[in-house]
């Protein structure tokens, strides 16, 4: 029989353990009679948040491409969004839709030699695209930081948690080790790690998964960043721990007032956490708006498919309804709507519009901040009559 590890002592456990459009100028072309072009309008949507609040992070017409031996991988295309302080944007989409690649571009984490990034990423008004690695390093971990799915990849196994927190703080603050230690202990306490002085001297492997994620969050927030990007922060955790980490992020956001970009494929997490939602498919935004608009009145068949594929308790005996088919190759995106090959509604659009013309990202009601990229005319009535009843 094995002796319980020290971290399993009840008093030390965290709650969870007790259970391509860059050709135009920045302003874009303006037709004197018809106003700005669609590309320009889409780009400007980046600077207008669905809430109407002034954004802290503004991403406009972002494109991320990787030259590879097989050709150019267009991982992100024409992506625009914005996040004000105190607000959470959830970016959702299936695996490979470009969620992580776009967020790593915001953090400046791509290998410069192997990545082509165009467009604009402004943080508090300052342009990040084109900054030197040195300048980005000063911002990363300070004004913006990232929480990863797997804290083990970000926590060094050979340094104590305390040491890593102290170093993370001292990189951006000229303070003594004692002052930094005080801040580290405060952070451990803030993220709900019991007995901070003892935990301070322990190594990552001495922490449980949930505790490691808390330590990672402490590390991300130690410099009081105004932007936090959380990439699937709870995917590797069990459901109870997931809920506690999400609560923690929610509470910390209230305390720190930061803008959060939450990357997830879990629409349950979105409903719980998000103020705004951006749905990505094959590297493009296909629907964007407040969480209320996107979740209660979705207007894009891909979003419908994502919502329909959520397993529900009441449908426990029914088969899961995943979206049929696979996303297109990013090496060779189709001419029309990237979702057309999988879309069950494609025949309801006249002619071959869906397969030949990329739909613009347009306001769903002809105006307003809720936008979707789809040629279907009667999206509202199809949703009400056919999709909503299936969602139960
Ligand atoms: N360095 C790279 N070189 C070539 N292709 C890449 C590179 N990095 C990412 N990709 C491709 O870009 C696409 C988008 O990847 P990304 O990781 O952003 O998807 P995601 O939506 O975050 O998916 P997941 O939920 O699985 O993390 C994928 O097809 C991926 O294979």
């Amino acid at each position: 029989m094995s002796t319980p590890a020290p971290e399993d002592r009840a008093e030390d456990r965290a709650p969870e353990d007790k259970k391509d459009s860059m050709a135009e100028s920045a302003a874009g072309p303006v037709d004197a009679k018809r106003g700005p072009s669609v590309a320009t309008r889409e780009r400007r949507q980046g600077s207008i948040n669905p809430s109407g609040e002034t954004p802290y992070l503004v991403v406009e017409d972002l494109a991320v491409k990787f030259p590879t031996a097989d050709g150019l991988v267009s991982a992100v295309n024409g992506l625009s969004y914005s996040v004000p302080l105190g607000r959470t944007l959830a970016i959702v989409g299936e695996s490979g839709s470009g969620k992580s690649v776009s967020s790593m571009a915001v953090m400046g984490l791509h290998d410069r030699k192997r990545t082509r990034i165009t467009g604009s990423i402004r943080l508090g008004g300052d342009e990040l695209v084109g900054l030197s690695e040195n300048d980005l390093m000063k911002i990363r971990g300070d004004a913006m930081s990232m929480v990863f799915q797997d804290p083990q990849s970000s926590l060094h196994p050979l340094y104590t948690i305390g040491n890593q927190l102290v170093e993370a703080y001292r990189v951006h603050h000229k303070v003594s080790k004692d002052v930094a230690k005080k801040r580290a202990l405060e952070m451990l306490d803030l993220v709900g790690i019991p007995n901070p002085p003892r935990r301070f001297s322990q190594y990552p492997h001495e922490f449980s998964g949930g505790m490691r994620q808390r330590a990672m969050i402490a590390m991300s927030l130690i410099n009081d960043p105004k932007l936090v990007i959380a990439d699937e922060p709870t995917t590797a955790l069990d459901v109870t721990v997931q809920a506690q980490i999400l609560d923690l992020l929610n509470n910390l956001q209230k305390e720190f007032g930061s803008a959060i970009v939450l990357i997830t494929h879990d629409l349950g997490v979105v409903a719980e956490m998000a103020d705004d939602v951006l749905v990505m498919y094959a590297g493009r935004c296909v629907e964007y708006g407040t969480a209320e608009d996107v979740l209660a009145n979705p207007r894009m068949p891909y979003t419908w498919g994502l919502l329909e594929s959520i397993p529900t308790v009441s449908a426990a005996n029914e088969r899961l309804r995943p979206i049929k088919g696979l996303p297109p190759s990013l090496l060779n995106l189709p001419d029309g709507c990237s979702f057309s090959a999988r879309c069950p509604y494609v025949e309801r659009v006249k002619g071959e519009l869906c397969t030949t013309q990329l739909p613009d990202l347009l306001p769903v009601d002809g105006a307003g901040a809720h936008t979707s990229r789809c040629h279907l005319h009667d999206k509202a009535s199809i949703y009400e009559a056919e999709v909503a009843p299936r969602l139960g």
Side-chain angles (χ1 to χ4, degrees):
M1 206 179 93
S2 64
T3 321
E7 73 276 15
D8 284 334
R9 288 205 312 225
E11 72 275 20
D12 284 1
R13 278 183 228 146
E16 69 270 16
D17 299 323
K18 293 182 184 158
K19 194 322 3 154
D20 291 346
S21 45
M22 292 311 297
E24 296 170 13
S25 70
V30 178
D31 181 309
K33 285 189 197 130
R34 291 154 63 200
S37 70
V38 169
T40 306
R41 280 204 306 273
E42 286 185 16
R43 196 170 311 153
R44 285 189 186 156
Q45 273 154 10
S47 41
I48 303 165
N49 185 262
S51 67
E53 289 171 37
T54 309
Y56 178 67
L57 170 69
V58 179
V59 172
E60 280 182 324
D61 206 14
L62 178 69
V64 184
K65 296 179 198 283
F66 303 105
T68 67
D70 297 326
L72 195 62
V73 175
S74 288
V76 177
N77 277 301
L79 183 69
S80 299
Y81 65 80
S82 65
V83 198
L85 291 174
R87 220 169 153 84
T88 298
L89 166 73
I91 302 186
V92 292
E94 288 165 300
S95 187
S97 55
K99 307 181 297 291
S100 300
V101 165
S102 56
S103 305
M104 280 173 68
V106 173
M107 293 293 294
L109 288 173
H110 288 295
D111 180 340
R112 286 161 180 259
K113 293 195 191 109
R114 298 202 172 91
T115 318
R116 285 190 209 155
I117 298 179
T118 53
S120 168
I121 299 166
R122 293 192 302 279
L123 195 70
D126 297 330
E127 180 61 58
L128 302 187
V129 174
L131 279 190
S132 69
E133 181 53 25
N134 253 351
D135 286 340
L136 269 173
M137 269 169 68
K138 285 181 201 145
I139 301 172
R140 213 184 293 135
D142 189 29
M144 60 180 179
S145 71
M146 195 149 177
V147 177
F148 294 94
Q149 174 179 342
D150 174 16
Q152 231 150 347
S153 62
S154 328
L155 294 170
H156 198 295
L158 301 180
Y159 292 94
T160 62
I161 294 287
N163 219 323
Q164 296 185 56
L165 284 166
V166 163
E167 282 317 305
Y169 192 61
R170 290 186 79 209
V171 165
H172 296 286
H173 295 86
K174 287 195 170 72
V175 295
S176 68
K177 281 195 175 166
D178 281 349
V179 170
K181 179 172 181 181
K182 197 166 162 260
R183 172 76 178 161
L185 290 171
E186 248 172 50
M187 287 308 299
L188 288 175
D189 189 40
L190 201 70
V191 298
I193 291 183
N195 198 349
R198 201 170 80 82
R199 290 300 191 170
F200 183 90
S201 329
Q202 289 185 327
Y203 291 87
H205 74 268
E206 296 178 85
F207 280 49
S208 66
M211 292 269 257
R212 265 199 296 270
Q213 194 55 296
R214 284 173 189 266
M216 174 73 227
I217 292 171
M219 187 119 98
S220 304
L221 297 184
I222 197 160
N223 293 309
D224 197 1
K226 289 202 167 81
L227 170 68
V228 177
I229 298 183
D231 191 348
E232 304 273 7
T234 58
T235 306
L237 305 171
D238 77 48
V239 180
T240 325
V241 184
Q242 262 186 27
Q244 287 164 358
I245 296 289
L246 293 177
D247 274 354
L248 172 67
L249 277 173
N250 249 334
N251 293 338
L252 291 174
Q253 184 182 39
K254 284 190 194 111
E255 174 137 0
F256 286 78
S258 33
I260 295 184
V261 175
L262 177 70
I263 299 170
T264 180
H265 60 269
D266 184 338
L267 284 166
V269 170
V270 175
E272 178 99 352
M273 298 283 290
D275 296 302
D276 300 323
V277 179
L278 188 153
V279 184
M280 272 190 97
Y281 186 74
R284 291 194 182 100
C285 170
V286 293
E287 183 154 9
Y288 181 39
T290 62
E292 208 181 340
D293 279 342
V294 175
L295 298 180
N297 295 303
R299 291 290 180 267
M300 161 74 199
Y302 178 61
T303 316
W304 299 343
L306 288 179
L307 287 164
E308 285 183 55
S309 59
I310 304 176
T312 58
V313 175
S314 59
N317 296 324
E318 286 177 26
R319 298 184 65 137
L320 289 177
R321 287 176 297 199
I323 304 173
K324 287 193 184 113
L326 292 169
S329 161
L330 300 174
L331 282 165
N332 189 15
L333 284 167
D335 286 336
C337 170
S338 306
F339 189 58
S340 59
R342 303 170 77 187
C343 181
Y345 306 91
V346 76
E347 275 158 23
R348 302 197 195 182
V349 176
K350 274 193 194 140
E352 308 209 318
L353 205 55
C354 294
T355 50
T356 57
Q357 204 175 308
L358 176 69
D360 296 317
L361 190 62
L362 295 173
V364 298
D365 301 319
H370 181 189
T371 52
S372 80
R373 198 187 277 284
C374 178
H375 287 305
L376 271 176
H377 273 303
D378 39 4
K379 294 186 271 293
S381 43
I382 295 177
Y383 177 73
E384 294 305 333
E386 301 176 40
V387 184
R390 286 201 293 268
L391 296 176

